[in-house]
Amino acid sequence: MAETALPVALDRESAEPLAVQLADALRSAASEGRLRAGDRLPSTRALAESLGVSRTVTAAAYEQLHAEGWIAGRHGSGTYVTTTPAPARCANVAQAGR
């Protein structure tokens, strides 16, 4: 599958960390169907460059989404959107993180 372009806007004036904003944006895109299971995400390095942030920001966002079950890495192939987690799980994770 082709790599998916990610139209993500980060608010550098927000008190919310950039990694949290990025994870939220990707989670929303998956929930709303703009990202689908099997879509390949850009590498953390490429995404960081396109957003003008450090790779630490993109890596932290990907790590959070991986822990929540939204994305999975395939060795030597890239990072892909997985099946969207069940809504109840999403709500619990979102509440626990706030």
Side-chain angles (χ1 to χ4, degrees):
M1 263 189 189
E3 190 171 287
T4 301
L6 300 175
V8 174
L10 301 177
D11 180 0
R12 295 175 190 280
E13 302 299 317
S14 173
E16 188 167 45
L18 294 174
V20 173
Q21 290 181 47
L22 178 57
D24 287 348
L26 295 175
R27 197 179 296 108
S28 292
S31 293
E32 296 167 2
R34 291 180 283 131
L35 288 175
R36 296 182 310 265
D39 284 351
R40 184 172 187 259
L41 299 176
S43 69
T44 56
R45 191 175 312 278
L47 184 56
E49 186 176 319
S50 72
L51 294 174
V53 298
S54 75
R55 186 168 168 263
T56 303
V57 169
T58 56
Y62 277 24
E63 285 175 24
Q64 180 62 39
L65 294 171
H66 182 266
E68 294 173 11
W70 289 94
I71 63 174
R74 296 182 195 161
H75 186 68
S77 178
T79 302
Y80 295 83
V81 176
T82 61
T83 303
T84 305
R89 179 172 178 215
C90 299
N92 292 339
V93 170
Q95 289 173 359
R98 302 232 182 233

